Amino acid sequence: MKQYSFLLLLVFVGTTKLLSQVVEIPMDIEPGGHTFIKVKVNNLDRELDFVFDTGATADLIDKKIADEIGIKGNYQQKIDGASGVESYDIALNQTLHLTNRVKFDNTNLVLKDLSNLNNVFGKHLDGIMGYSILSKYITKIDYENNKLILYNKLRNVDLDGFTKIPFSFNRGIPIPQFNINYTLTNGESYTGSILFDSGAGLTLLVNTPFVTENGIRNKVDKIIRNESQGLGSSSVSEIIRIKSLTIGEYTFEDLAISLSNSKGGVTAMPEFMGIMGAKIIKRFTIVLDYDKKELYLKPNKLYSEQFKFPLTGIKLKKDGKDILVAGVDKSTPAYKKGLRIGDKILRINDENRTLSKYNELLTKKGSRVTIEYINQKGQKKIISLVLRDLL
């Protein structure tokens, strides 16, 4: 599974109406932990699929969808994201509806072409919401029961069994920030502040300054290169194996994390150790109180699942109706057998499937997969791989 970060550092707050004390919003959760909710825009009956993302400080809609429903930008603004600064069109005074009982008036929508994310996601993405919800309500993210639950008061939430973690909003970034600890396989431990970003499809992404200053790359046995897709562009990070990661009283053993190479954006900020993403976050039921700056965690049924490690070093993406190789690590058997970026996948295991199905086949540890593809010379090739841990 690729990494994704929808983190946007721009804050728009509209007005909102909540007609009852508690509202439950169904969520559709994809394998990487990204959560989708249904959203209606303005007075249209059409339901759109938005990612609910704690790392999104602005509401965003796909530019193609905006054109279809008649939303136009009023002005442009530069926005700092996970990988750097980009310019976006902003549409003023829009209305977003979550179910028939919750709506956000006077919302300023960022218009952005999301085709690059849709090409690698395996599920259509129409937009992103986060801070506008979190800043107004006590928000419970229930991954176990596929629900997003909004409350007026913290006292209305049953917090039995939860652990409280205070957080801050430093650097003017309204994304929860608190310290965690991780330990390398050589026994060295590091503690630092992370951004709590459910829109990042990873465990932990360690920021470039932290990686460089602590010489992390020189302290691990193996590294796998990984291409990730953000809102504006792709970037290359590296995946390593670590001994453990600790959040408050909770410790995860034997997992993979990523090392950033970014020279700009949030992942290049020295103030933060990194970004914690959905592959950790989805293992908890979560309550967020932005007024008190308190996060509550309670392990759910996903908590004890083993973490997945890179098995092929292959990254795939959609290109129209085709599925192409988006990345392949040079140290892997797939690369050594001839697979390259840009090759067109015809089938895996004799089946012509979807991107999500191919990604699923490539994560079954111990299995053998046969990949039929056309290389960039137009030649049809077949390779066979046994899926084993690469780290």
Side-chain angles (χ1 to χ4, degrees):
M1 191 60 167
K2 282 187 173 61
Q3 301 169 6
Y4 308 91
S5 183
F6 305 126
L7 190 149
L8 284 175
L9 302 186
L10 176 67
V11 180
F12 292 134
V13 181
T15 60
T16 182
K17 294 180 180 179
L18 181 61
L19 303 179
S20 70
Q21 191 171 31
V22 178
V23 175
E24 293 186 358
I25 300 168
M27 298 191 306
D28 182 19
I29 304 174
E30 61 87 41
H34 297 103
T35 57
F36 285 80
I37 58 175
K38 297 294 184 181
V39 177
K40 291 183 179 181
V41 180
N42 297 329
N43 295 318
L44 300 177
D45 290 331
R46 178 179 176 181
E47 287 189 328
L48 302 178
D49 290 312
F50 274 49
V51 164
F52 171 73
D53 175 12
T54 62
T57 60
D59 297 324
L60 182 149
I61 190 170
D62 182 30
K63 201 165 188 177
K64 181 179 178 181
I65 298 295
D67 289 341
E68 290 177 5
I69 61 180
I71 295 177
K72 305 295 182 183
N74 297 100
Y75 70 98
Q76 281 200 337
Q77 182 166 335
K78 290 184 178 181
I79 302 174
D80 199 4
S83 299
V85 178
E86 295 186 55
S87 293
Y88 294 88
D89 291 321
I90 310 296
L92 300 175
N93 301 320
Q94 307 299 311
T95 301
L96 300 179
H97 302 261
L98 308 183
T99 74
N100 293 324
R101 304 172 65 189
V102 180
K103 76 173 181 176
F104 295 81
D105 291 315
N106 304 317
T107 296
N108 298 335
L109 278 178
V110 179
L111 312 184
K112 174 64 181 173
D113 180 7
L114 299 180
S115 59
N116 57 341
L117 292 177
N118 283 316
N119 286 343
V120 297
F121 212 74
K123 178 179 172 65
H124 188 73
L125 168 66
D126 296 318
I128 303 166
M129 289 188 75
Y131 180 77
S132 57
I133 299 172
L134 293 159
S135 63
K136 295 294 182 181
Y137 307 117
I138 309 300
T139 304
K140 183 177 183 179
I141 311 171
D142 187 347
Y143 289 95
E144 189 166 328
N145 295 299
N146 292 20
K147 294 178 181 179
L148 185 70
I149 308 172
L150 307 182
Y151 299 86
N152 281 327
K153 302 292 182 180
L154 187 63
R155 65 173 179 264
N156 297 326
V157 186
D158 181 3
L159 294 175
D160 185 40
F162 283 79
T163 296
K164 181 173 73 174
I165 297 179
F167 63 80
S168 59
F169 291 143
N170 293 324
R171 284 289 303 267
I173 301 174
I175 299 170
Q177 303 157 28
F178 53 90
N179 283 353
I180 68 166
N181 173 274
Y182 73 90
T183 302
L184 300 178
T185 53
N186 70 358
E188 292 190 30
S189 293
Y190 301 92
T191 298
S193 178
I194 56 88
L195 295 157
F196 188 79
D197 183 4
S198 65
L202 43 80
T203 53
L204 174 69
L205 175 63
V206 183
N207 278 11
T208 304
F210 198 94
V211 173
T212 303
E213 291 169 9
N214 292 285
I216 303 296
R217 293 184 180 89
N218 298 323
K219 298 176 180 179
V220 297
D221 295 328
K222 293 182 181 180
I223 293 177
I224 296 295
R225 288 171 61 84
N226 179 70
E227 183 173 341
S228 60
Q229 183 65 59
L231 278 172
S233 61
S234 61
S235 61
V236 176
S237 59
E238 294 150 330
I239 303 175
I240 65 170
R241 191 178 202 128
I242 64 170
K243 181 180 179 181
S244 64
L245 183 149
T246 299
I247 310 162
E249 65 183 52
Y250 304 108
T251 296
F252 297 101
E253 304 282 351
D254 194 26
L255 65 157
I257 65 171
S258 301
L259 308 180
S260 171
N261 283 296
S262 296
K263 292 181 170 49
V266 175
T267 54
M269 289 184 177
E271 295 88 349
F272 304 111
M273 185 172 72
I275 296 171
M276 189 169 71
K279 292 184 180 180
I280 294 284
I281 293 171
K282 70 176 183 177
R283 294 165 185 265
F284 297 94
T285 300
I286 296 157
V287 176
L288 285 158
D289 183 342
Y290 271 33
D291 285 339
K292 294 182 178 180
K293 296 185 176 63
E294 293 174 350
L295 166 71
Y296 295 83
L297 298 177
K298 182 178 181 179
N300 61 29
K301 64 182 180 182
L302 302 175
Y303 181 81
S304 299
E305 283 190 0
Q306 288 188 335
F307 288 90
K308 293 181 178 180
F309 290 88
L311 301 177
T312 65
I314 300 170
K315 302 299 176 184
L316 303 178
K317 69 176 182 178
K318 289 179 65 178
D319 183 16
K321 294 183 179 180
D322 296 330
I323 296 178
L324 305 181
V325 177
V328 55
D329 187 274
K330 292 182 179 181
S331 68
T332 62
Y335 186 90
K336 293 174 182 177
K337 291 185 177 186
L339 196 67
R340 297 291 185 270
I341 293 175
D343 290 348
K344 176 183 173 181
I345 302 297
L346 298 178
R347 57 184 53 86
I348 298 178
N349 287 357
D350 296 324
E351 296 189 41
N352 189 351
R353 298 291 190 97
T354 62
L355 175 61
S356 59
K357 183 61 178 180
Y358 283 161
N359 283 330
E360 181 184 335
L361 291 171
L362 295 177
T363 59
K364 293 184 176 181
K365 184 178 178 180
S367 66
R368 179 179 291 275
V369 295
T370 300
I371 303 175
E372 184 176 344
Y373 65 97
I374 297 177
N375 65 21
Q376 294 182 72
K377 295 180 180 179
Q379 301 168 323
K380 185 180 289 186
K381 299 285 186 179
I382 298 176
I383 61 172
S384 181
L385 304 170
V386 176
L387 305 188
R388 299 190 178 97
D389 284 351
L390 297 177
L391 292 174

